[in-house]
Amino acid sequence: SKDCVTIFFSDIVGFTSISSTLTPHKISDMLDRLYLRFDELSRQHDVFKVETIGDAWMGVTNLVKDQPLDHVKRIAMFSIDAVRAAA
């Protein structure tokens, strides 16, 4: 059991409005490209992917692997790269 973990949670702002203007195929393609990139970044930063549901992506550090000294930094660096990937 861990005393402290760091959690990353993303949600696309305005997703409902965005999805109402696109075809299902384009929505699926957009999410697939974004979350495949997040998956790559999670491996790069050693962030454990917990779940992807709809337009939400969740990851955690210091849960599956022992990362007591840098789990917050890992999520912070992942977050910066995730924002860049989404831009």
Side-chain angles (χ1 to χ4, degrees):
S1 140
K2 305 288 181 164
D3 291 331
C4 187
V5 300
T6 304
I7 298 170
F8 171 93
F9 181 82
S10 74
D11 187 62
I12 299 173
V13 175
F15 180 75
T16 302
S17 297
I18 294 167
S19 63
S20 70
T21 65
L22 300 173
T23 66
H25 179 69
K26 286 191 179 203
I27 295 166
S28 178
D29 184 55
M30 175 187 71
L31 291 174
D32 189 49
R33 284 184 287 116
L34 179 61
Y35 292 143
L36 282 174
R37 183 68 182 121
F38 279 21
D39 292 348
E40 290 172 15
L41 292 171
S42 72
R43 289 187 291 274
Q44 178 182 333
H45 292 285
D46 211 5
V47 172
F48 177 74
K49 176 183 174 180
V50 176
E51 191 73 49
T52 303
I53 300 175
D55 67 318
W57 193 100
M58 184 176 175
V60 64
T61 52
N62 201 40
L63 178 66
V64 176
K65 286 188 173 182
D66 287 328
Q67 301 163 314
L69 302 177
D70 66 349
H71 61 97
V72 175
K73 181 180 179 181
R74 287 177 184 278
I75 289 288
M77 299 306 293
F78 172 86
S79 299
I80 291 167
D81 287 346
V83 168
R84 288 181 182 148

